[in-house]
Each structure stands twice: as structure tokens, then as C-alpha cells.
Amino acid sequence: MANLDRRAILALSLAGATGLIGSAQAAPAGYPDGYRDLVAQAEREGSLLIYSIMSPENWRPVIEGFNKVYPGIKVETLDLPASRESFERYLAEKSTNSRTADLIATADPGGWIDFQRRGEILDYASPEAKVWPDWSKPFPGLYTVSSDPMALIWNNALVPEAKRPKSFADFLALSLANERPWKNKITSYGAHQTTFGYGIYYAFVKKHGDKAWEWLAELAKVQPRFERSGGPMTEKVTSGEYAAGWFVSAITFWPRLSDPARAKILGWSFIADGQPVILRGIAVPKGSKNVAAAKLMLDYVISEDGQRAFGRGGLTPARPGIQPGEGIRHTYSSIASLVGEQNMIYIGYDEDALRDYDAFLVRWKQTFNIR
């Protein structure tokens, strides 16, 4: 297969594997008796190829846990640079009967909607599905890997403790109070730059309606500078080039807080009046070669153990009931308990977002005087 230079091969040695050993005679507790046949088929397949936008470090704890249960299955992940590329690559390879993904995991709601319309999602009913809420299972066979929050961030030296925001309304008031010194010194994703940013703002506006457009118009007075990813936002807020940022990917800056010096500089908060969370989807595509192995991995990543593993890998477990601890900073349940579940904004699978894309961007550009 071409372009394997970016492929992260994360396979564990069978020697020394501990815990429950997957075999034709074993299945996870509570799974149907016939599941052992699926395990046997997956062992005969022997390998699994995953396309995702997650890094090898995100996947490492997951693959380690999976291979403790199923040591005979070699797991290979391809970390692609853009959300939509997982689908584009799969479709191109399938059209030429080339080897392609057995499992896809990516944060691209519009891409998943199009993939479902094409009939490319395998309708697989996981034994784990019954514990997941409806919002996390938008289409038959599509499940949620994580619910990663957007947050407010700031440079502690530039924002007094008493003024640090806890909501979007707070952030707006703080920015307007510092309109002159903060001009060109606040940041976020641009809806006009990435589908990721577009999805955040579309969902935020859908929740708050005209009030959201009024807030954004006020914020535009400070002349924000937009970035395409959370890394530059975090670095520039830390250095003081930016004073603060809104709707910044928490899973981008949380790992940086492990540095004590940086943690003293960088402050952050969830968003009490509307907390966006990005839903990362996972599904078995119909062109999968190793379908049984893909099903086993899907079941594992949405199980409690798999969700905890992704949490240790830096994502935000979405499975209800999982709490922080043991290397997990936050979970869907802990965020919902802090801001109120009614204030969660799902950046998910809203077909209206596809329909309204052009009109929304026209208004967005007008609001921020972008040509």
C-alpha cells in the first residue's frame, strides 16, 4: 500500500501478554455465546488496519489493552492529517480493490453523514451498544470514541484571577473590557478555515440563536486572529502573543499542563453557558477485509476498559458513568456534572449543518469583516 511512511505500527509482542486471553473458547463477560465464533474468525484474520486522525500516543493504551485480550491480532494504525482524508483514502482504495481500512475513527460529522448516505457503514450491533445514549449512536453501526471539549484559555499573567472567565458571556465581557490592549490578541478556530471550526460555531449558534450572533459581533470588535489548530493557539497564549482564546481544543492543551512551568502560565475553564464537545465517530466500513477483527476492536473501544484506555491516551471518554482518575483528566460525565448536561453542545451529526454551510459562512465572514 502506498504512502506508508506515516503509518504508525503499534503491535505488541505476544510474549508476556497478561490478563484475559482471547480465543475461540473465550468471550468478554456478558457477551452472547456466539461471540466466541467472532473471536475465532478474527484470530484467523490475524490483523487489523485502522484509519484515524488520532496519534500513535492516543492509540497506544488502547492497543495495549486490546492485545492483552486478543494477543493474536496485529493492530496497525494510519494517522492521517485531516479528518476527511480517512474517507477519501478509503473510497479511492476501495474503487481499485486495493487494501484499505478495516476500521475508521475520525471527528468529521459531515464526512460521516456523507459516508452513511453512500451506504458505506456496516450495520453492526455491538454488545456494548445498550449502555450508550442515542446521541452517541447517530446511524446504525456508527458509535462514539470520545466527546472532546472545547474550552476557554488565557495567560494568567494577563488575566487577573478575579476576572478569569467561566462562560462565553464572561469571556466576551473580559475581551470588551480590554478592547484596546487585546486588539488582535484573542484567538479561536475560524469557521471559514476548517470544517472543524465550522462545526463548532454552527452548533453554538443553533443552541443560542440570534444571541450567539450578537455575541460574535461584539467579539469582532477586538479583531480576533484565527488559527487552524489548537497547538498554535496554546503556544501563543502561553508566550503572551495572545492573551486568551475561546473554543480551544482541550485535548490539545491538557497534555501541555504536565509541564509545571507551563501550568503556572496557562489557565483554562469549561464554558458554563454552552459547552461544545466534538464527537469522534468509529465504524466498520463495508470494504473492510478483516471484518471480525474490526468488530472486536470497535467493541473494545466502546467498552468501559477501552474508554478508560482512550482516556489515558489523551481523549475524553464519552461512555456514561466513567469518571476521572488513573491518568484521565476529564470524561463526558464529569464535564456534564460541572456545566449541566442541558448546557452540553454536541458537535455531531446534524444534516442541517451541511445544508446551511454556504449561508452560514457568508454571515460569519460579514460578522468578522473577513473577505
Side-chain angles (χ1 to χ4, degrees):
M1 182 177 173
N3 297 324
L4 296 188
D5 52 303
R6 290 181 292 172
R7 180 171 296 172
I9 301 176
L10 299 176
L12 298 183
S13 168
L14 304 191
T18 60
L20 177 64
I21 302 300
S23 71
Q25 288 73 44
Y31 279 35
D33 291 340
Y35 199 81
R36 67 189 62 186
D37 297 329
L38 182 67
V39 174
Q41 182 183 345
E43 289 177 337
R44 289 192 295 270
E45 292 171 351
S47 66
L48 173 63
L49 176 59
I50 305 173
Y51 288 178
S52 84
I53 58 167
M54 283 87 90
S55 74
E57 290 307 309
N58 294 141
W59 279 107
R60 190 178 304 282
V62 177
I63 296 173
E64 289 175 350
F66 179 80
N67 277 148
K68 285 181 180 179
V69 185
Y70 307 112
I73 301 172
K74 176 184 177 182
V75 182
E76 196 174 1
T77 68
L78 181 58
D79 174 23
L80 295 164
S83 299
R84 193 61 59 96
E85 191 171 339
S86 294
F87 303 115
E88 293 171 348
R89 187 181 182 109
Y90 163 84
L91 292 169
E93 290 166 344
K94 184 187 176 189
S95 70
T96 59
N97 294 316
S98 301
R99 178 75 171 98
T100 192
D102 299 309
L103 193 63
I104 294 176
T106 188
D108 184 352
W112 280 117
I113 291 171
D114 180 67
F115 209 57
Q116 190 267 344
R117 288 175 175 173
R118 291 171 175 266
E120 290 290 351
I121 298 175
L122 185 70
D123 183 358
Y124 173 56
S126 170
E128 299 286 345
K130 59 184 178 294
V131 304
W132 285 81
D134 289 343
W135 58 259
S136 69
K137 302 175 291 187
F139 307 124
L142 179 60
Y143 299 88
T144 298
V145 172
S146 65
S147 52
D148 299 317
M150 303 296 105
L152 309 173
I153 68 172
W154 57 83
N155 186 302
N156 285 327
L158 300 175
V159 182
E161 187 171 355
K163 300 292 186 180
R164 291 170 187 172
K166 301 297 183 183
S167 67
F168 189 89
D170 289 347
F171 185 90
L172 174 60
L174 176 67
S175 299
L176 292 177
N178 293 277
E179 181 177 347
R180 183 170 295 176
W182 281 17
K183 197 171 291 290
N184 296 314
K185 291 193 68 172
I186 61 173
T187 189
S188 185
Y189 299 96
H192 61 300
Q193 292 174 314
T194 67
T195 55
F196 185 81
Y198 168 75
I200 296 168
Y201 287 102
Y202 185 87
F204 186 73
V205 168
K206 195 160 190 178
K207 179 171 181 63
H208 289 294
D210 287 340
K211 171 60 72 176
W213 285 116
E214 293 170 11
W215 282 341
L216 295 174
E218 288 291 295
L219 201 57
K221 295 177 181 177
V222 192
Q223 297 180 11
R225 289 163 57 190
F226 297 107
E227 302 281 356
R228 293 180 177 273
S229 63
M233 296 182 211
T234 303
E235 293 303 320
K236 292 176 184 180
V237 169
T238 304
S239 71
E241 181 176 344
Y242 293 146
W246 79 97
F247 295 168
V248 183
S249 173
I251 65 167
T252 300
F253 67 79
W254 278 343
R256 291 166 165 82
L257 299 180
S258 60
D259 175 3
R262 189 187 291 264
K264 290 181 180 179
I265 298 171
L266 190 64
W268 71 276
S269 174
F270 291 126
I271 308 171
D273 51 6
Q275 176 58 61
V277 292
I278 297 290
L279 305 184
R280 295 176 186 264
I282 188 168
V284 181
K286 287 187 177 178
S288 170
K289 175 184 176 184
N290 296 329
V291 176
K295 290 178 178 179
L296 293 194
M297 177 59 86
L298 188 154
D299 293 339
Y300 180 75
V301 300
I302 66 172
S303 73
E304 184 170 344
D305 284 349
Q307 285 286 284
R308 291 187 182 280
F310 256 136
R312 293 192 300 275
L315 301 187
T316 311
R319 183 179 170 117
I322 295 179
Q323 296 299 327
E326 300 180 348
I328 303 172
R329 184 179 290 270
H330 274 290
T331 69
Y332 173 86
S333 292
S334 71
I335 298 168
S337 70
L338 290 170
V339 304
E341 195 153 15
Q342 74 279 7
N343 291 317
M344 301 291 270
I345 301 176
Y346 305 118
I347 317 304
Y349 309 94
D350 185 349
E351 298 201 21
D352 289 350
L354 298 182
R355 180 199 65 202
D356 297 339
Y357 182 80
D358 291 337
F360 187 95
L361 284 192
V362 167
R363 186 167 183 181
W364 165 271
K365 290 180 179 180
Q366 290 173 344
T367 299
F368 287 98
N369 195 28
I370 295 171
R371 292 182 173 80

